[in-house]
Amino acid sequence: QVQLVESGGGLVQAGGSLRLSCAASGRTSSTSVTGWFRQAPGKEREFVAVIKGSSGETAYADSVKGRFTISRDNIKNTVYLQMNSLQPEDTAVYYCAARTYCSVCGFTDSDYFYWGQGTQVTVSS
């Protein structure tokens, strides 16, 4: 089993930054693919970013490209989401998710086996 714990959410003004963390414990060998998703009130959960395997291949949703950066610290078994130039439309509960390695996957929530509890990000205008 794998446990994922997110942290780093909070309230920030538009234009500000936050860094989210997703710490994995347990069978961390099963977390080669780690993604971030978000869900705003009244909306479906949407893909934000993903990081894969030892190569650290990354991909982003168009809405966050150039503003968000996903990275991982393999020693700490932690994946980060650095969020810059935050806007009110970024307000959501952010979730990290993980699964074993897959080459063409990681962009939809049904791809993932493990989920964290979520962390709230609120961006004020």
Side-chain angles (χ1 to χ4, degrees), residues 89-122:
E89 52 266 34
D90 295 315
T91 295
V93 177
Y94 284 70
Y95 299 89
C96 69
R99 61 157 292 147
T100 50
Y101 185 78
C102 55
S103 58
V104 184
C105 76
F107 301 98
T108 61
D109 52 10
S110 60
D111 288 339
Y112 291 88
F113 305 150
Y114 309 107
W115 289 85
Q117 81 289 350
T119 186
Q120 176 71 47
V121 171
T122 303

Side-chain angles (χ1 to χ4, degrees), residues 33-116:
V33 177
T34 303
W36 285 97
F37 288 75
R38 66 186 182 185
Q39 188 167 22
K43 295 187 177 181
E44 293 189 353
R45 188 159 54 188
E46 64 175 1
F47 168 77
V48 175
V50 62
I51 188 165
K52 291 185 177 182
S54 57
S55 67
E57 174 190 353
T58 60
Y60 299 90
D62 287 344
S63 59
V64 307
K65 204 171 292 184
R67 299 188 298 125
F68 291 11
T69 303
I70 189 170
S71 62
R72 73 190 308 155
D73 183 329
N74 290 323
I75 295 175
K76 295 183 178 180
N77 292 317
T78 299
V79 170
Y80 303 99
L81 185 69
Q82 178 66 44
M83 306 186 295
N84 298 330
S85 302
L86 284 162
Q87 299 301 315
E89 52 266 34
D90 295 315
T91 295
V93 177
Y94 284 70
Y95 299 89
C96 69
R99 61 157 292 147
T100 50
Y101 185 78
C102 55
S103 58
V104 184
C105 76
F107 301 98
T108 61
D109 52 10
S110 60
D111 288 339
Y112 291 88
F113 305 150
Y114 309 107
W115 289 85

